[in-house]
C-alpha cells in the first residue's frame, strides 16, 4: 500500500480535531512517499519498539503514544530520544501516532476496552466533536455494572479479561 494512502486512512479514521490541544498526534517522522510493506504496532515508541521494528523489517510504526511530545533541543546519539530518531531515519521507518484522537474516535480505544471487558459503553466522560453517525465521541466511557465490585475485584476482572500478567491499582 502507498504510504500516503495509509496515512490518509489513519487521519480519516482518527482525525486530529478529536485530539486534545496538548497532544501531538499524526505523522511524526519520515517521508510520505513510498510503500508501506510492514507495520509495527505499539503503545510507545520506546527503544525496544524501535529495535524490534528494525529486526522485523518494518518500514512504519503505528503507536498510541506520540514519541515526539515536547520541543526537541537536539537530535544526537547522546540521548535516548536522539538515538531512536537517528535509528528510525537510518532504517527508513516512518512513525504515526494516534493518542487522544484514538481515545475519542468512534470504534476507538474506549469501545475496544468496553468490548474486551464485556461492557456496554453508555456514554463518554469528556465529549468532543460528534461523529458523522451522530454517536457521541470523547475520551473515556462510563457504564453500569450488574453488581458492585471492590477495587480488588475490578482489578482482577480487568487483568483476567485483558489477559494481563499483572495489574497495578
Amino acid at each position: 500500500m502507498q504510504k500516503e494512502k495509509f496515512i490518509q486512512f489513519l487521519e480519516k479514521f482518527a482525525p486530529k480535531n478529536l485530539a486534545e490541544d496538548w497532544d501531538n498526534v499524526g505523522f511524526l517522522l519520515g517521508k510520505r512517499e513510498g510503500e508501506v510493506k510492514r507495520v509495527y504496532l505499539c503503545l510507545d515508541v520506546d527503544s525496544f519498539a524501535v529495535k524490534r521494528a528494525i529486526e522485523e523489517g518494518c518500514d512504519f510504526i503505528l503507536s498510541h503514544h506520540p514519541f515526539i511530545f515536547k520541543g526537541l533541543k537536539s537530535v544526537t546519539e547522546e540521548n535516548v530520544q536522539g538515538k531512536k530518531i537517528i535509528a528510525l531515519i537510518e532504517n527508513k521507518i516512518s512513525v504515526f501516532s494516534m493518542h487522544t484522537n484514538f481515545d475519542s474516535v468512534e470504534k476507538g480505544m474506549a469501545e475496544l476496552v468496553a468490548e474486551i471487558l464485556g461492557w456496554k459503553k453508555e456514554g463518554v466522560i469528556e465529549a468532543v466533536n460528534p461523529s458523522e453517525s451522530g454517536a457521541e465521541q470523547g475520551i473515556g466511557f462510563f457504564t453500569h455494572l450488574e453488581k458492585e465490585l471492590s477495587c480488588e475485584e475490578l482489578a482482577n476482572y480487568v487483568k483476567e479479561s485483558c489477559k494481563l500478567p499483572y495489574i497495578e491499582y
Side-chain angles (χ1 to χ4, degrees):
M1 172 181 257
Q2 288 300 307
K3 194 184 306 181
E4 181 61 30
K5 291 259 187 215
F6 186 51
I7 291 168
Q8 288 173 4
F9 167 79
L10 295 171
E11 289 173 337
K12 185 176 180 185
F13 174 72
K16 280 186 176 186
N17 67 315
L18 296 179
E20 294 292 313
D21 293 338
W22 50 263
D23 207 357
N24 187 32
V25 300
F27 189 55
L28 301 181
L29 182 73
K31 294 182 178 181
R32 287 182 168 268
E33 65 269 1
E35 192 173 349
V36 174
K37 295 178 184 164
R38 195 164 187 149
V39 177
Y40 187 84
L41 183 64
C42 60
L43 182 63
D44 295 303
V45 185
D46 56 18
S47 297
F48 176 81
V50 172
K51 182 178 181 237
R52 286 299 306 237
I54 293 168
E55 290 171 353
E56 297 294 326
C58 298
D59 49 24
F60 200 95
I61 293 178
L62 177 57
S63 72
H64 184 55
H65 296 134
F67 83 115
I68 298 174
F69 206 73
K70 296 179 181 174
L72 298 172
K73 298 198 186 275
S74 65
V75 178
T76 68
E77 291 186 333
E78 296 172 4
N79 60 60
V80 174
Q81 185 74 334
K83 286 179 187 177
K84 289 189 299 187
I85 292 170
I86 291 168
L88 291 165
I89 291 170
E90 287 178 342
N91 289 278
K92 297 182 169 112
I93 300 173
S94 298
V95 179
F96 192 99
S97 299
M98 297 189 306
H99 187 215
T100 56
N101 54 331
F102 185 59
D103 291 339
S104 298
V105 72
E106 188 176 358
K107 305 290 184 201
M109 184 63 78
E111 290 184 33
L112 291 172
V113 170
E115 184 178 313
I116 289 168
L117 296 175
W119 295 344
K120 180 181 182 285
K121 180 181 163 192
E122 296 179 22
V124 298
I125 294 171
E126 183 180 330
V128 294
N129 297 338
S131 70
E132 292 176 8
S133 70
E136 185 180 39
Q137 293 177 294
I139 294 181
F141 70 92
F142 63 86
T143 190
H144 291 87
L145 303 179
E146 292 179 18
K147 68 175 193 159
E148 190 173 300
L149 297 173
S150 69
C151 286
E152 185 175 355
E153 290 170 325
L154 178 60
N156 284 328
Y157 179 77
V158 170
K159 179 183 174 201
E160 290 169 15
S161 298
C162 296
K163 298 177 176 74
L164 300 171
Y166 64 90
I167 191 167
E168 294 182 35
Y169 68 95

